[in-house]
Amino acid sequence: MRLTWWREALDDALAHRAAPAHPVVEALAAAAMRSALVAGPLTAAIDARIDAVEQPPFGEEASLMTYLEATEGGVLRTALDILAPDRTDDAVVAPAARVWGLARLAREGRRGLPRSLSGEAMRIAVRDALAEAREQARRLPPRGFPAIAHLALAPAYAAGRAPSELGKRMRLLAAVASGRV
């Protein structure tokens, strides 16, 4: 039901119709007024989450990666569309979506993940995807960096640790100051 609400609110905001009063919806509507923001990536993220309610895609690694590309990738692509609409490359999206999605699943203690991503293998998968995301991030214009700065928190989450609020802020500050996740 909530996902349907988001889908309808998104459609209204991007079509410049009266949308529900919500800070995220209002920000998307404002971004749509400034640029040619499209609903595709967020709609795909919502659809993937709706599908996951009926049949979680966590049994096989390939289906999990497709899910992460749609969900985390859709949000990341939208953030990049807002922050750096003139970028020429989206190569950072897939590895960044894997990093954040795998770290989120590890942090949640999600059961039913593929055996190939259990324990130490999860941390290795996050580490490898983070290395690829770092390499691809070099192609991002500086104003697009805030879309991926949160990846600096992924290694701790993948290891099952939750940094303190101060620790999170310090890691994000270091990432922004260095321009590196």
Side-chain angles (χ1 to χ4, degrees):
M1 183 182 244
R2 288 183 185 177
L3 292 170
T4 301
W5 182 90
W6 277 106
R7 178 86 186 260
E8 291 169 359
L10 174 66
D11 290 344
D12 289 341
L14 298 185
H16 310 293
R17 295 188 301 259
H22 186 282
V24 173
V25 175
E26 291 167 1
L28 288 170
M33 294 296 273
R34 289 190 310 271
S35 67
L37 190 63
V38 296
L42 287 178
T43 300
I46 293 167
D47 291 344
R49 291 205 186 266
I50 289 171
D51 292 345
V53 169
E54 296 169 8
Q55 173 130 9
F58 306 125
E60 295 179 17
E61 192 170 335
S63 61
L64 175 61
M65 296 308 158
T66 300
Y67 170 77
L68 296 178
E69 169 69 22
T71 56
E72 271 68 23
V75 173
L76 177 59
R77 211 172 255 107
T78 301
L80 287 170
D81 286 347
I82 293 168
L83 296 170
D86 57 342
R87 71 189 183 284
T88 59
D89 194 342
D90 269 354
V92 71
V93 172
R98 282 194 307 273
V99 170
W100 192 247
L102 291 172
R104 179 180 56 80
L105 294 171
R107 181 178 178 207
E108 292 172 357
R110 182 70 66 133
R111 297 192 198 304
L113 292 174
R115 289 180 189 228
S116 61
L117 293 173
S118 61
E120 183 64 20
M122 175 67 85
R123 286 186 287 282
I124 292 169
V126 169
R127 183 196 67 206
D128 293 348
L130 185 56
E132 183 181 352
R134 284 177 175 150
E135 181 66 32
Q136 297 301 330
R138 293 179 186 172
R139 299 179 188 169
L140 276 180
R143 67 184 170 280
F145 184 78
I148 63 165
H150 64 286
L151 299 182
L153 302 172
Y157 291 156
R161 296 186 318 269
S164 67
E165 287 303 311
L166 178 61
K168 288 179 194 177
R169 290 176 183 179
M170 294 302 292
R171 286 179 191 195
L172 291 172
L173 179 62
V176 170
S178 68
R180 189 168 187 269
V181 291

